[in-house]
Amino acid sequence: GYDDNYLHENTYTETRLISEAFNKMLGRLKILDDSRQEFVANVSHELKTPITSMKVLADSLLAQENVPVELYQEFMQDLSEEIEREDKIINDLLSLVKMDKTAASLQVKQENINDLLEKILKRLQPIAAARNIEVVFESFRPVNAEVDGVKLSLAITNLVENAVKYNIDGGWVHVSLNADHKFFYIEVADSGIGIPEESKEHIFERFYRVDKSHSREIGGTGLGLAIARNAVVMHRGAIKVYSQLGEGTTFTVRIPLNYIA
Ligand code: ADP
């Protein structure tokens, strides 16, 4: 009868809708799963590289008889650097994982952002001075904001560290702080090597490095900007990059003065 047909039609439409939604969800899950698999593959690779070097170094030293002390010291120096590198990767990974886990539970409280920035710059001053890089802090107004001080510090530390790392000897780093009635703005500008146009959209990805061999020399893990972006996004903020190859780079961070849960 009429009712049966109606019921049939309706069930059919519903089944089709459910199956479409299901397929859509599967697609999303697959993307999530792919990126997770890629992440795990990347982590394994990054962690294994220093281990492989350490093993080669240790084995080749063991294979020699009567090793001259200079050679021994050279090997040990290399070994020590590889261990340091591994340590850095593990620390960055732990920061990143912690950041993901606590996404819902930022430890937000009222913080003096001027003090927070000054502390960061003071800590990084010796690294900059060693390469004759001038670090300048300019505050357009005192800023107090509801932030997770630890996570925000981690983000800004990574930006300033990069501004020094990817700079030229004798260059400059300019950090500024400003605010309006809704947001505060932190800018980290440098006179460094700059970022190629085609890399700009990738630099916030985990493990991405513009020039692997060069970055390796400088001691990067490719995680710093992923950590920085995570921290900023958790604050409902935004991070952007402007760069001119060979001239310098500017990162801008915009975060609400009052935390939006
Ligand atoms: P890394 O540990 O390699 O520094 P990041 O995630 O912090 O990793 O940065 C990713 C890549 O972006 C770096 O390897 C570098 O190539 C590029 N980059 C980041 N900051 C700057 C900068 N201020 N100037 C030039 N290049 C930069």
Side-chain angles (χ1 to χ4, degrees):
Y2 171 83
D3 275 343
D4 274 1
N5 255 338
Y6 178 76
L7 208 69
H8 184 77
E9 279 273 296
N10 221 14
T11 316
Y12 172 75
T13 313
E14 253 170 42
T15 312
R16 194 171 50 83
L17 283 178
I18 289 170
S19 122
E20 264 170 25
F22 186 69
N23 278 334
K24 213 174 186 176
M25 220 160 67
L26 271 185
R28 284 205 196 126
L29 274 176
K30 176 148 171 39
I31 290 169
L32 259 180
D33 195 52
D34 283 353
S35 75
R36 174 161 302 201
Q37 271 179 21
E38 194 189 318
F39 178 61
V40 171
N42 278 336
V43 169
S44 315
H45 175 77
E46 294 295 323
L47 288 176
K48 270 194 166 164
T49 308
I51 300 266
T52 308
S53 303
M54 287 186 237
K55 174 89 174 126
V56 170
L57 281 166
D59 284 351
S60 59
L61 198 61
L62 282 171
Q64 307 208 25
E65 279 170 39
N66 304 322
V67 184
V69 70
E70 300 81 40
L71 191 67
Y72 175 81
Q73 272 170 346
E74 200 187 311
F75 270 71
M76 281 303 156
Q77 181 62 39
D78 289 349
L79 204 55
S80 169
E81 276 166 22
E82 290 301 331
I83 291 170
E84 209 172 287
R85 188 173 156 68
E86 186 83 356
D87 188 52
K88 203 167 157 25
I89 297 170
I90 290 170
N91 279 332
D92 278 0
L93 272 172
L94 288 177
S95 303
L96 199 63
V97 170
K98 230 171 84 214
M99 203 83 83
D100 275 348
K101 248 199 181 151
T102 50
S105 60
L106 275 189
Q107 299 287 312
V108 173
K109 67 177 177 28
Q110 199 74 18
E111 294 271 3
N112 181 324
I113 307 297
N114 294 69
D115 284 355
L116 188 142
L117 290 179
E118 266 163 25
K119 263 188 213 146
I120 293 171
L121 296 184
K122 202 169 157 192
R123 242 187 297 128
L124 296 178
Q125 187 59 42
I127 307 169
R131 293 184 49 212
N132 224 353
I133 293 168
E134 189 191 14
V135 182
V136 180
F137 176 45
E138 183 177 17
S139 170
F140 291 96
R141 62 185 63 204
V143 176
N144 284 288
E146 279 171 16
V147 296
D148 183 322
V150 174
K151 294 201 168 74
L152 182 64
S153 290
L154 191 57
I156 305 301
T157 299
N158 282 332
L159 294 183
V160 180
E161 253 175 16
N162 281 349
V164 174
K165 271 195 321 196
Y166 301 104
N167 216 318
I168 49 170
D169 289 353
W172 50 261
V173 174
H174 192 165
V175 179
S176 74
L177 173 64
N178 206 349
D180 54 28
H181 61 294
K182 256 194 163 152
F183 299 99
F184 67 95
Y185 305 86
I186 298 171
E187 229 181 72
V188 180
D190 69 57
S191 60
I193 60 176
I195 298 167
E197 195 54 46
E198 66 273 16
S199 295
K200 278 182 199 162
E201 57 176 318
H202 298 296
I203 52 170
F204 295 102
E205 291 165 14
R206 296 177 287 207
F207 296 115
Y208 182 86
R209 278 170 281 171
V210 171
D211 173 352
K212 292 231 174 205
S213 58
H214 187 59
S215 297
R216 187 175 160 74
E217 223 170 83
I218 304 179
T221 62
L223 292 171
L225 287 180
I227 292 169
R229 185 177 58 178
N230 258 9
V232 171
V233 168
M234 281 166 71
H235 284 88
R236 315 269 179 248
I239 183 166
K240 282 188 184 150
V241 62
Y242 305 88
S243 187
Q244 198 68 47
L245 205 57
E247 286 186 15
T249 302
T250 300
F251 284 91
T252 64
V253 170
R254 187 197 73 186
I255 291 177
L257 289 166
N258 296 301
Y259 179 66
I260 311 154

PDB file of all heavy atoms in Angstrom, residues 162-163 165-166 190 193-195 203 208-211 215 220-226 249 251, ligand 1:
ATOM      1  N   ASN A 162      65.238  30.586  16.479  1.00  0.00           N
ATOM      2  CA  ASN A 162      65.364  30.496  15.021  1.00  0.00           C
ATOM      3  C   ASN A 162      65.912  31.788  14.427  1.00  0.00           C
ATOM      4  O   ASN A 162      66.744  31.760  13.522  1.00  0.00           O
ATOM      5  CB  ASN A 162      63.998  30.218  14.380  1.00  0.00           C
ATOM      6  CG  ASN A 162      63.617  28.743  14.486  1.00  0.00           C
ATOM      7  OD1 ASN A 162      64.443  27.912  14.841  1.00  0.00           O
ATOM      8  ND2 ASN A 162      62.371  28.439  14.189  1.00  0.00           N
ATOM      9  N   ALA A 163      65.420  32.920  14.947  1.00  0.00           N
ATOM     10  CA  ALA A 163      65.862  34.218  14.435  1.00  0.00           C
ATOM     11  C   ALA A 163      67.367  34.380  14.606  1.00  0.00           C
ATOM     12  O   ALA A 163      68.038  35.019  13.792  1.00  0.00           O
ATOM     13  CB  ALA A 163      65.121  35.343  15.146  1.00  0.00           C
ATOM     14  N   LYS A 165      69.501  31.545  15.033  1.00  0.00           N
ATOM     15  CA  LYS A 165      70.124  30.421  14.305  1.00  0.00           C
ATOM     16  C   LYS A 165      70.237  30.687  12.808  1.00  0.00           C
ATOM     17  O   LYS A 165      71.258  30.390  12.201  1.00  0.00           O
ATOM     18  CB  LYS A 165      69.273  29.148  14.475  1.00  0.00           C
ATOM     19  CG  LYS A 165      69.626  28.326  15.679  1.00  0.00           C
ATOM     20  CD  LYS A 165      69.058  26.903  15.660  1.00  0.00           C
ATOM     21  CE  LYS A 165      67.670  26.698  15.127  1.00  0.00           C
ATOM     22  NZ  LYS A 165      67.095  25.384  15.486  1.00  0.00           N
ATOM     23  N   TYR A 166      69.167  31.200  12.225  1.00  0.00           N
ATOM     24  CA  TYR A 166      69.150  31.388  10.770  1.00  0.00           C
ATOM     25  C   TYR A 166      69.517  32.819  10.400  1.00  0.00           C
ATOM     26  O   TYR A 166      69.002  33.370   9.435  1.00  0.00           O
ATOM     27  CB  TYR A 166      67.790  30.974  10.204  1.00  0.00           C
ATOM     28  CG  TYR A 166      67.479  29.527  10.521  1.00  0.00           C
ATOM     29  CD1 TYR A 166      66.575  29.182  11.512  1.00  0.00           C
ATOM     30  CD2 TYR A 166      68.169  28.502   9.866  1.00  0.00           C
ATOM     31  CE1 TYR A 166      66.319  27.852  11.838  1.00  0.00           C
ATOM     32  CE2 TYR A 166      67.936  27.169  10.188  1.00  0.00           C
ATOM     33  CZ  TYR A 166      67.010  26.857  11.170  1.00  0.00           C
ATOM     34  OH  TYR A 166      66.780  25.538  11.490  1.00  0.00           O
ATOM     35  N   ASP A 190      64.058  39.222  11.944  1.00  0.00           N
ATOM     36  CA  ASP A 190      65.507  39.017  11.890  1.00  0.00           C
ATOM     37  C   ASP A 190      66.095  39.433  10.549  1.00  0.00           C
ATOM     38  O   ASP A 190      65.380  39.614   9.569  1.00  0.00           O
ATOM     39  CB  ASP A 190      65.855  37.553  12.204  1.00  0.00           C
ATOM     40  CG  ASP A 190      65.411  36.583  11.119  1.00  0.00           C
ATOM     41  OD1 ASP A 190      65.817  36.741   9.946  1.00  0.00           O
ATOM     42  OD2 ASP A 190      64.644  35.642  11.441  1.00  0.00           O
ATOM     43  N   ILE A 193      68.795  34.644   6.817  1.00  0.00           N
ATOM     44  CA  ILE A 193      68.903  34.081   5.464  1.00  0.00           C
ATOM     45  C   ILE A 193      67.571  34.061   4.710  1.00  0.00           C
ATOM     46  O   ILE A 193      67.548  33.932   3.497  1.00  0.00           O
ATOM     47  CB  ILE A 193      69.482  32.648   5.511  1.00  0.00           C
ATOM     48  CG1 ILE A 193      68.582  31.718   6.344  1.00  0.00           C
ATOM     49  CG2 ILE A 193      70.889  32.662   6.099  1.00  0.00           C
ATOM     50  CD1 ILE A 193      69.041  30.261   6.344  1.00  0.00           C
ATOM     51  N   GLY A 194      66.460  34.201   5.442  1.00  0.00           N
ATOM     52  CA  GLY A 194      65.157  34.208   4.777  1.00  0.00           C
ATOM     53  C   GLY A 194      64.665  32.811   4.426  1.00  0.00           C
ATOM     54  O   GLY A 194      65.395  31.826   4.572  1.00  0.00           O
ATOM     55  N   ILE A 195      63.401  32.745   3.985  1.00  0.00           N
ATOM     56  CA  ILE A 195      62.766  31.459   3.673  1.00  0.00           C
ATOM     57  C   ILE A 195      62.257  31.503   2.230  1.00  0.00           C
ATOM     58  O   ILE A 195      61.559  32.439   1.849  1.00  0.00           O
ATOM     59  CB  ILE A 195      61.592  31.198   4.642  1.00  0.00           C
ATOM     60  CG1 ILE A 195      62.107  31.115   6.092  1.00  0.00           C
ATOM     61  CG2 ILE A 195      60.850  29.906   4.272  1.00  0.00           C
ATOM     62  CD1 ILE A 195      61.019  31.180   7.131  1.00  0.00           C
ATOM     63  N   ILE A 203      56.788  25.262   6.601  1.00  0.00           N
ATOM     64  CA  ILE A 203      57.704  25.368   7.746  1.00  0.00           C
ATOM     65  C   ILE A 203      57.063  25.038   9.093  1.00  0.00           C
ATOM     66  O   ILE A 203      57.772  24.714  10.032  1.00  0.00           O
ATOM     67  CB  ILE A 203      58.371  26.772   7.833  1.00  0.00           C
ATOM     68  CG1 ILE A 203      57.314  27.858   7.792  1.00  0.00           C
ATOM     69  CG2 ILE A 203      59.408  26.954   6.743  1.00  0.00           C
ATOM     70  CD1 ILE A 203      57.885  29.229   8.109  1.00  0.00           C
ATOM     71  N   TYR A 208      59.686  19.422   9.097  1.00  0.00           N
ATOM     72  CA  TYR A 208      60.061  20.090   7.847  1.00  0.00           C
ATOM     73  C   TYR A 208      61.229  21.041   8.081  1.00  0.00           C
ATOM     74  O   TYR A 208      61.234  21.816   9.031  1.00  0.00           O
ATOM     75  CB  TYR A 208      58.880  20.867   7.260  1.00  0.00           C
ATOM     76  CG  TYR A 208      59.241  21.526   5.942  1.00  0.00           C
ATOM     77  CD1 TYR A 208      59.129  20.823   4.750  1.00  0.00           C
ATOM     78  CD2 TYR A 208      59.745  22.830   5.910  1.00  0.00           C
ATOM     79  CE1 TYR A 208      59.501  21.406   3.553  1.00  0.00           C
ATOM     80  CE2 TYR A 208      60.111  23.418   4.715  1.00  0.00           C
ATOM     81  CZ  TYR A 208      59.991  22.700   3.547  1.00  0.00           C
ATOM     82  OH  TYR A 208      60.356  23.277   2.353  1.00  0.00           O
ATOM     83  N   ARG A 209      62.232  20.955   7.210  1.00  0.00           N
ATOM     84  CA  ARG A 209      63.358  21.887   7.247  1.00  0.00           C
ATOM     85  C   ARG A 209      63.657  22.329   5.827  1.00  0.00           C
ATOM     86  O   ARG A 209      63.619  21.527   4.905  1.00  0.00           O
ATOM     87  CB  ARG A 209      64.589  21.209   7.846  1.00  0.00           C
ATOM     88  CG  ARG A 209      64.567  21.203   9.375  1.00  0.00           C
ATOM     89  CD  ARG A 209      65.634  20.328   9.950  1.00  0.00           C
ATOM     90  NE  ARG A 209      65.218  18.932   9.886  1.00  0.00           N
ATOM     91  CZ  ARG A 209      66.024  17.922  10.170  1.00  0.00           C
ATOM     92  NH1 ARG A 209      67.263  18.141  10.490  1.00  0.00           N
ATOM     93  NH2 ARG A 209      65.568  16.708  10.118  1.00  0.00           N
ATOM     94  N   VAL A 210      63.956  23.606   5.677  1.00  0.00           N
ATOM     95  CA  VAL A 210      64.157  24.136   4.326  1.00  0.00           C
ATOM     96  C   VAL A 210      65.329  23.441   3.655  1.00  0.00           C
ATOM     97  O   VAL A 210      65.235  22.936   2.546  1.00  0.00           O
ATOM     98  CB  VAL A 210      64.383  25.667   4.369  1.00  0.00           C
ATOM     99  CG1 VAL A 210      64.811  26.171   2.996  1.00  0.00           C
ATOM    100  CG2 VAL A 210      63.106  26.362   4.826  1.00  0.00           C
ATOM    101  N   ASP A 211      66.457  23.434   4.350  1.00  0.00           N
ATOM    102  CA  ASP A 211      67.649  22.837   3.772  1.00  0.00           C
ATOM    103  C   ASP A 211      68.179  21.842   4.791  1.00  0.00           C
ATOM    104  O   ASP A 211      68.807  22.214   5.769  1.00  0.00           O
ATOM    105  CB  ASP A 211      68.676  23.951   3.498  1.00  0.00           C
ATOM    106  CG  ASP A 211      70.014  23.394   3.057  1.00  0.00           C
ATOM    107  OD1 ASP A 211      70.199  22.154   3.116  1.00  0.00           O
ATOM    108  OD2 ASP A 211      70.865  24.183   2.648  1.00  0.00           O
ATOM    109  N   SER A 215      70.370  22.840   7.852  1.00  0.00           N
ATOM    110  CA  SER A 215      69.677  22.867   9.140  1.00  0.00           C
ATOM    111  C   SER A 215      70.315  21.886  10.101  1.00  0.00           C
ATOM    112  O   SER A 215      70.400  22.127  11.299  1.00  0.00           O
ATOM    113  CB  SER A 215      68.197  22.510   8.960  1.00  0.00           C
ATOM    114  OG  SER A 215      67.564  23.460   8.169  1.00  0.00           O
ATOM    115  N   GLY A 220      69.049  21.722  13.896  1.00  0.00           N
ATOM    116  CA  GLY A 220      67.596  21.800  13.991  1.00  0.00           C
ATOM    117  C   GLY A 220      66.950  20.427  14.048  1.00  0.00           C
ATOM    118  O   GLY A 220      67.537  19.431  13.635  1.00  0.00           O
ATOM    119  N   THR A 221      65.728  20.392  14.603  1.00  0.00           N
ATOM    120  CA  THR A 221      64.981  19.141  14.619  1.00  0.00           C
ATOM    121  C   THR A 221      63.769  19.228  13.696  1.00  0.00           C
ATOM    122  O   THR A 221      63.128  18.224  13.401  1.00  0.00           O
ATOM    123  CB  THR A 221      64.449  18.821  16.025  1.00  0.00           C
ATOM    124  OG1 THR A 221      63.541  19.859  16.408  1.00  0.00           O
ATOM    125  CG2 THR A 221      65.577  18.751  17.029  1.00  0.00           C
ATOM    126  N   GLY A 222      63.441  20.433  13.269  1.00  0.00           N
ATOM    127  CA  GLY A 222      62.251  20.608  12.430  1.00  0.00           C
ATOM    128  C   GLY A 222      60.961  20.598  13.229  1.00  0.00           C
ATOM    129  O   GLY A 222      59.871  20.532  12.662  1.00  0.00           O
ATOM    130  N   LEU A 223      61.076  20.663  14.559  1.00  0.00           N
ATOM    131  CA  LEU A 223      59.874  20.608  15.404  1.00  0.00           C
ATOM    132  C   LEU A 223      59.531  21.959  16.046  1.00  0.00           C
ATOM    133  O   LEU A 223      58.412  22.169  16.507  1.00  0.00           O
ATOM    134  CB  LEU A 223      60.052  19.557  16.500  1.00  0.00           C
ATOM    135  CG  LEU A 223      60.089  18.102  16.018  1.00  0.00           C
ATOM    136  CD1 LEU A 223      60.499  17.180  17.165  1.00  0.00           C
ATOM    137  CD2 LEU A 223      58.748  17.675  15.468  1.00  0.00           C
ATOM    138  N   GLY A 224      60.503  22.867  16.046  1.00  0.00           N
ATOM    139  CA  GLY A 224      60.340  24.129  16.765  1.00  0.00           C
ATOM    140  C   GLY A 224      59.097  24.916  16.356  1.00  0.00           C
ATOM    141  O   GLY A 224      58.332  25.372  17.217  1.00  0.00           O
ATOM    142  N   LEU A 225      58.884  25.068  15.070  1.00  0.00           N
ATOM    143  CA  LEU A 225      57.742  25.865  14.603  1.00  0.00           C
ATOM    144  C   LEU A 225      56.418  25.123  14.768  1.00  0.00           C
ATOM    145  O   LEU A 225      55.385  25.745  14.967  1.00  0.00           O
ATOM    146  CB  LEU A 225      57.940  26.279  13.140  1.00  0.00           C
ATOM    147  CG  LEU A 225      58.985  27.377  12.907  1.00  0.00           C
ATOM    148  CD1 LEU A 225      59.104  27.696  11.416  1.00  0.00           C
ATOM    149  CD2 LEU A 225      58.649  28.642  13.685  1.00  0.00           C
ATOM    150  N   ALA A 226      56.464  23.789  14.693  1.00  0.00           N
ATOM    151  CA  ALA A 226      55.238  23.005  14.948  1.00  0.00           C
ATOM    152  C   ALA A 226      54.808  23.213  16.394  1.00  0.00           C
ATOM    153  O   ALA A 226      53.617  23.409  16.683  1.00  0.00           O
ATOM    154  CB  ALA A 226      55.488  21.526  14.656  1.00  0.00           C
ATOM    155  N   THR A 249      63.463  37.521   7.954  1.00  0.00           N
ATOM    156  CA  THR A 249      62.172  36.886   8.199  1.00  0.00           C
ATOM    157  C   THR A 249      61.487  37.578   9.372  1.00  0.00           C
ATOM    158  O   THR A 249      62.153  37.997  10.316  1.00  0.00           O
ATOM    159  CB  THR A 249      62.382  35.402   8.536  1.00  0.00           C
ATOM    160  OG1 THR A 249      63.070  34.776   7.446  1.00  0.00           O
ATOM    161  CG2 THR A 249      61.063  34.673   8.776  1.00  0.00           C
ATOM    162  N   PHE A 251      58.180  36.799  11.994  1.00  0.00           N
ATOM    163  CA  PHE A 251      57.032  36.024  12.458  1.00  0.00           C
ATOM    164  C   PHE A 251      56.152  36.943  13.294  1.00  0.00           C
ATOM    165  O   PHE A 251      56.660  37.684  14.138  1.00  0.00           O
ATOM    166  CB  PHE A 251      57.487  34.830  13.315  1.00  0.00           C
ATOM    167  CG  PHE A 251      58.039  33.696  12.498  1.00  0.00           C
ATOM    168  CD1 PHE A 251      59.399  33.615  12.215  1.00  0.00           C
ATOM    169  CD2 PHE A 251      57.198  32.717  11.998  1.00  0.00           C
ATOM    170  CE1 PHE A 251      59.909  32.571  11.446  1.00  0.00           C
ATOM    171  CE2 PHE A 251      57.701  31.666  11.236  1.00  0.00           C
ATOM    172  CZ  PHE A 251      59.054  31.603  10.962  1.00  0.00           C
TER     173      PHE A 251
HETATM  174  P1  ADP B   1      64.490  23.643  13.150  1.00  0.00           P
HETATM  175  O1  ADP B   1      64.652  22.814  14.382  1.00  0.00           O
HETATM  176  O2  ADP B   1      65.076  23.007  11.922  1.00  0.00           O
HETATM  177  O3  ADP B   1      64.933  25.057  13.335  1.00  0.00           O
HETATM  178  P2  ADP B   1      61.775  24.675  12.980  1.00  0.00           P
HETATM  179  O4  ADP B   1      60.492  23.946  12.978  1.00  0.00           O
HETATM  180  O5  ADP B   1      62.020  25.617  14.110  1.00  0.00           O
HETATM  181  O6  ADP B   1      62.916  23.590  12.881  1.00  0.00           O
HETATM  182  O7  ADP B   1      61.893  25.472  11.613  1.00  0.00           O
HETATM  183  C1  ADP B   1      61.648  24.784  10.404  1.00  0.00           C
HETATM  184  C2  ADP B   1      62.527  25.336   9.296  1.00  0.00           C
HETATM  185  O8  ADP B   1      62.098  26.651   8.948  1.00  0.00           O
HETATM  186  C3  ADP B   1      63.991  25.493   9.677  1.00  0.00           C
HETATM  187  O9  ADP B   1      64.712  24.297   9.448  1.00  0.00           O
HETATM  188  C4  ADP B   1      64.457  26.599   8.752  1.00  0.00           C
HETATM  189  O10 ADP B   1      64.784  26.052   7.499  1.00  0.00           O
HETATM  190  C5  ADP B   1      63.213  27.460   8.591  1.00  0.00           C
HETATM  191  N1  ADP B   1      63.219  28.646   9.483  1.00  0.00           N
HETATM  192  C6  ADP B   1      62.607  28.765  10.684  1.00  0.00           C
HETATM  193  N2  ADP B   1      62.788  29.996  11.207  1.00  0.00           N
HETATM  194  C7  ADP B   1      63.547  30.686  10.320  1.00  0.00           C
HETATM  195  C8  ADP B   1      64.076  32.017  10.266  1.00  0.00           C
HETATM  196  N3  ADP B   1      63.855  32.901  11.260  1.00  0.00           N
HETATM  197  N4  ADP B   1      64.796  32.374   9.181  1.00  0.00           N
HETATM  198  C9  ADP B   1      65.015  31.489   8.181  1.00  0.00           C
HETATM  199  N5  ADP B   1      64.537  30.230   8.156  1.00  0.00           N
HETATM  200  C10 ADP B   1      63.812  29.810   9.215  1.00  0.00           C
END
